[in-house]
Amino acid sequence: MTAPPSVYPPAVADLMPAARDLAARLGALPSQNRIKTELRVGHRKAGVILDSLRADLAPPTADPAPPAADTTGDHAGPDPDAIPTVGITPTPPTLATDTPPPPSPLATVAAEPVPEITPAAADAGRRRRRPAPGRVWAYVGVALGGVVSIAANVAHTYLPKPPPGAPDGWTAPVDWSPSPLAIAISVFWPIALFVAVEILTRIAWGDGFWWFFARVVGVLPVALVAAVVSYRHLSGLLAHFGEDPMTVAIGPLAVDGLMVMASAALMVTSRKETTR
């Protein structure tokens, strides 16, 4: 008659032979879940069994001492209590070397000194980036004068001009319209003046006489031509709409004077930003 199975759970020592057989079949250490499934144990006991298997396969920390010489002539056999490790290849230990690891790039960057920014340097940088006072209004004046000048030049091209020898009271045909080339030329003069002003104020010219002479020779003809053409077109437009002779004579000077003053302000503020 066979004895009934024990109702108490088996101890870890009783389960170790089955655990070693499982490791031998797998050729490696089984996972904790595999031990729980195969041996039907709980999570905690499976962890203890896995730690015992790791301890069995841990490599020796030092070379064992050589056995003592046998003077009796009897040779000792293998230890019957030794645990066989059939099919399990122990992991070789990692050998420590004297070569230090290469430095990390982040550590190298962090080790570089960071230049200190003083309050005076920060304030100087803010002053350099801040535009000179009134420079925005100078651009507004140049833009406003240019827009009015372009509008007057374009509108003047739409005023029909009698051909040579036309009788008094001549009127243009109903389908008459100005030439596209005439409109393009009328727009060119104020734009040319604006580009010349930008070249004059944006470029860091020298302080010598020849630099001043080059600026005057380059900008003065463009400014004079644009001012004369704008004046004639605007005065002719005012006369066409029946303005009095005084308004026709001095009205265009407001537009040209605004552009001259705005251009001069851009030149002055540009020199201040350059010397700061």
Side-chain angles (χ1 to χ4, degrees):
M1 180 177 179
T2 31
S6 175
V7 295
Y8 297 101
V12 175
D14 297 335
L15 295 172
M16 284 305 299
R20 295 188 185 99
D21 293 340
L22 176 60
R25 291 200 313 269
L26 297 178
L29 284 175
S31 64
Q32 191 169 353
N33 291 333
R34 187 66 177 270
I35 294 174
K36 290 167 56 179
T37 304
E38 295 286 340
L39 304 183
R40 299 180 181 274
V41 294
H43 183 79
R44 182 176 180 182
K45 186 172 289 188
V48 175
I49 295 173
L50 183 59
D51 292 339
S52 299
L53 288 176
R54 288 198 184 101
D56 291 344
L57 299 179
T61 56
D63 293 336
D70 189 3
T71 57
T72 61
D74 296 333
H75 298 283
D79 187 1
D81 297 331
I83 300 173
T85 55
V86 180
I88 302 177
T89 304
T91 305
T94 304
L95 300 178
T97 59
D98 296 334
T99 305
S104 172
L106 296 178
T108 305
V109 174
E112 293 180 356
V114 179
E116 182 181 0
I117 301 178
T118 61
D123 186 61
R126 286 193 295 269
R127 286 200 304 270
R128 283 195 298 269
R129 291 191 298 270
R130 188 184 304 123
R135 189 171 178 83
V136 176
W137 287 109
Y139 271 111
V140 171
V142 172
L144 181 61
V147 169
V148 173
S149 180
I150 291 175
N153 292 348
V154 173
H156 187 269
T157 59
Y158 280 87
L159 299 180
K161 301 174 182 61
D168 295 339
W170 175 88
T171 56
V174 179
D175 58 347
W176 179 87
S177 61
S179 169
L181 181 61
I183 297 176
I185 293 175
S186 67
V187 174
F188 167 75
W189 308 113
I191 293 179
L193 177 60
F194 181 77
V195 172
V197 170
E198 282 293 300
I199 294 174
L200 189 63
T201 57
R202 294 282 184 178
I203 297 177
W205 299 85
D207 295 330
F209 169 77
W210 291 110
W211 288 113
F212 175 78
F213 180 77
R215 281 183 287 176
V216 171
V217 171
V219 178
L220 190 59
V222 179
L224 287 177
V225 171
V228 171
V229 172
S230 176
Y231 179 88
R232 290 178 60 87
H233 286 177
L234 190 55
S235 61
L237 193 64
L238 293 174
H240 175 77
F241 286 105
E243 295 290 340
D244 60 277
M246 179 67 70
T247 304
V248 171
I250 66 174
L253 295 179
V255 178
D256 294 336
L258 176 63
M259 297 189 68
V260 169
M261 289 299 298
S263 302
L266 287 177
M267 293 176 61
V268 172
T269 54
S270 175
R271 290 184 62 85
K272 287 183 178 180
E273 287 187 349
T274 304
T275 55
R276 276 196 300 181

